[in-house]
Amino acid sequence: MRLLDLRGRKVAVWGTGREGRAAVTAIAAHGPADLVAVDDGGSPVSPPWDGHLATAAPLVTGEAGAERLAAAEVVVRSPGVPNTHPWLAELRRRQVPVTQGTALWLADHAARTVGVTGSKGKSTTSSLISHLLAAVDRPNVFGGNIGVPTLELPAADLYVLELSSYQCSDLTDSPRVAVVTALFPEHLDAHGGEREYYRDKLNLLAHGPETIVVNGADPRLAAELGDRPVVRAGTPDTTYVAGGPDGTPWFHLGDQPLFPRAVLPLVGRHNEGNLCVALSVLDVLGVDVRARRDTVAVAVAEFQGLAHRLTEIVDPSGLTFVDDTLATSPYAAMHAIDAYDGRALTVIVGGADRGLDYTPLREHLAEREITVIGVPDSGSRIVAALDGLPKVRCEVTDDLVGAVRLARRVTPAGGVVLLSPAAPSYGRFRNFEHRSEAFAQAVRDTAG
């Protein structure tokens, strides 16, 4: 379904945030006969619905919104509307077509798009792809989940999109190059379960992409894809890390060494994997990575890590404080912990309790000497899941400031204090940025 297909139809846009606003503006430009906006959340922090938006699409709230959705010929939902929403179940029962702005946009732009998703690494990998393409004279426009809504993107010959599982779920067109960085259980409350989450995430691959690039070291991806023909980055026939000419780890493409691993400023093996995926995407897009390896190496060295993802905070004590507040699952926290292997480590965990199973984290830490500090709401449950591990010291505090203060006392000199909560931020904080700000402030307030 394209934007043009909405002309003359009764359309309801569900959601009044950034994506909903972009959808109303884009759809109104094509002249539907009846356009309405529906907001079932009633958030007091939502910006006003006025001006051209109110003129194009009157706003309906509450139960009246459900009636307007049911009466629509097409519903365009925002990514924030979960698949488990009861109104959505009713729309499907009535066979009302439901789509999203990203699906409408991809119907017209798929052939010029690299789409990146993944349970971990999609933001860094998509940013790397866009950054490296620009460095090798392949200008592109970057957007999607990480920034500008797709319906607001300017005209371009090439696009790179970061796509969430929510955005992938309604796609009926796959991008030319579909990329998956990792797969593990996440957002299960919004998708309805692990199988449903995998289905929605991998819908990115379901509609005829020209090429699929995946992290070849991810066991769940391997299991889900089976023998499907894909480019498996991180394996010897594509891009991978192995010993180089000087005996240190290098990035390779096939049998050709490209540049040392030390060129990449990001810590962690998972970031090595992210760069391998990005380099494979350049290769499948026709960039001669071998011939341009020096240019690529300079661009890699200049790449700035994204905020809230293993962001190190300078502290006069000599301890390294690390903000990884976007690690909202046990698997993401495990990657972060591995990034500091070999250093004395205290990790702060806990946040909104979604009832996740922390057994994988327990198994991952079984032989690891580490201190774990739990904060509300789920911190005490995570700590309980680690009970009995011989090398894991566990503590619980009342808040993030208390956790940072305790971490300063128990972390050896030169060690790392890592905020990798394995849980979302909502409830105690407005959003992940607020939690990040609170952590940085706690580090400052407890210094000295």
Side-chain angles (χ1 to χ4, degrees):
M1 184 182 297
R2 292 173 164 79
L3 280 169
L4 282 174
D5 297 329
L6 302 182
R7 181 179 294 168
R9 305 182 73 178
K10 188 181 293 186
V11 179
V13 173
W14 187 359
T16 58
R18 184 182 65 178
E19 292 278 349
R21 289 164 180 264
V24 165
T25 301
I27 296 167
H30 290 78
D34 185 359
L35 179 60
V36 65
V38 174
D39 182 7
D40 65 303
S43 171
V45 299
S46 295
W49 191 264
D50 53 17
H52 80 278
L53 293 169
T55 301
L59 178 61
V60 182
T61 60
E63 287 301 317
E67 297 174 6
R68 293 305 296 265
L69 291 175
E73 294 178 88
V74 178
V75 171
V76 181
R77 65 164 171 156
S78 294
V81 176
N83 274 339
T84 52
H85 197 295
W87 291 4
L88 193 57
E90 178 62 16
L91 290 174
R92 287 172 174 153
R93 188 187 70 80
R94 292 171 178 252
Q95 297 185 321
V96 177
V98 178
T99 187
Q100 290 187 47
T102 298
L104 293 169
W105 184 89
L106 263 178
D108 288 318
H109 300 87
R112 290 175 283 156
T113 300
V114 176
V116 183
T117 196
S119 304
K120 175 75 174 174
K122 60 183 179 295
S123 299
T124 297
T125 303
S126 56
S127 299
L128 269 168
I129 291 168
S130 178
H131 174 72
L132 297 180
L133 284 170
V136 294
D137 309 312
R138 295 289 296 273
N140 62 92
V141 168
F142 184 41
N145 185 57
I146 198 171
V148 180
T150 51
L151 288 174
E152 293 181 352
L153 294 176
D157 293 328
L158 181 61
Y159 298 91
V160 178
L161 302 184
E162 184 209 326
L163 298 171
S164 69
S165 55
Y166 311 119
Q167 290 170 309
C168 290
S169 63
D170 287 333
L171 295 182
T172 53
D173 297 87
S174 292
R176 174 187 169 188
V177 180
V179 181
V180 188
T181 60
L183 196 63
F184 53 74
E186 179 68 298
H187 305 302
L188 303 189
D189 51 340
H191 289 274
E194 184 172 338
R195 292 308 315 162
E196 291 80 3
Y197 169 70
Y198 292 166
R199 176 202 64 204
D200 291 343
K201 178 71 83 173
L202 297 180
N203 190 46
L204 181 73
L205 317 180
H207 306 284
E210 182 178 301
T211 307
I212 298 171
V213 179
V214 303
N215 174 5
D218 188 287
R220 289 178 188 82
L221 270 174
E224 292 293 326
L225 294 171
D227 58 0
R228 183 170 180 173
V230 300
V231 176
R232 301 178 190 269
T235 60
D237 55 342
T238 58
T239 50
Y240 61 100
V241 177
D246 60 1
T248 67
W250 279 52
F251 286 96
H252 292 68
L253 176 55
D255 59 359
Q256 175 69 57
L258 298 176
F259 45 80
R261 190 309 180 196
V263 167
L264 177 65
L266 307 183
V267 300
R269 291 179 182 172
H270 63 290
N271 278 318
E272 294 177 8
N274 292 336
L275 181 54
C276 284
V277 171
L279 293 171
S280 289
V281 170
L282 264 65
D283 186 48
V284 303
L285 287 174
V287 174
D288 191 339
V289 178
R290 295 178 179 87
R292 307 208 62 180
R293 60 183 180 273
D294 291 342
T295 299
V296 172
V298 170
V300 168
E302 293 174 345
F303 182 75
Q304 299 295 312
L306 303 180
H308 321 300
R309 296 167 178 85
L310 295 180
T311 302
E312 297 189 356
I313 301 172
V314 176
D315 187 75
S317 69
L319 295 175
T320 301
F321 286 85
V322 183
D323 173 13
D324 194 44
T325 192
L326 279 175
T328 58
S329 79
Y331 299 93
M334 286 151 53
H335 283 299
I337 289 167
D338 286 349
Y340 291 93
D341 189 29
R343 296 184 64 179
L345 179 63
T346 298
V347 59
I348 300 172
V349 299
D353 195 341
R354 295 179 295 172
L356 294 178
D357 178 13
Y358 288 99
T359 303
L361 180 61
R362 177 186 175 86
E363 294 172 348
H364 194 71
L365 297 181
E367 300 300 324
R368 177 94 186 217
E369 187 169 342
I370 189 172
T371 299
V372 178
I373 301 175
V375 298
D377 293 321
S378 61
S380 58
R381 192 166 69 82
I382 298 172
V383 164
L386 305 178
D387 184 51
L389 292 180
K391 298 181 181 180
V392 178
R393 172 182 177 179
C394 291
E395 303 280 353
V396 176
T397 61
D398 293 333
D399 55 31
L400 193 53
V401 174
V404 171
R405 187 176 290 114
L406 175 60
R408 284 190 180 278
R409 294 202 304 267
V410 302
T411 308
V416 176
V417 178
L418 169 67
L419 172 64
S420 194
S425 58
Y426 53 79
R428 300 270 171 166
F429 301 95
R430 293 187 302 273
N431 47 39
F432 70 86
E433 291 98 341
H434 184 205
R435 180 164 63 184
S436 178
E437 292 166 6
F439 178 62
Q441 187 63 50
V443 172
R444 291 192 292 269
D445 290 347
T446 58

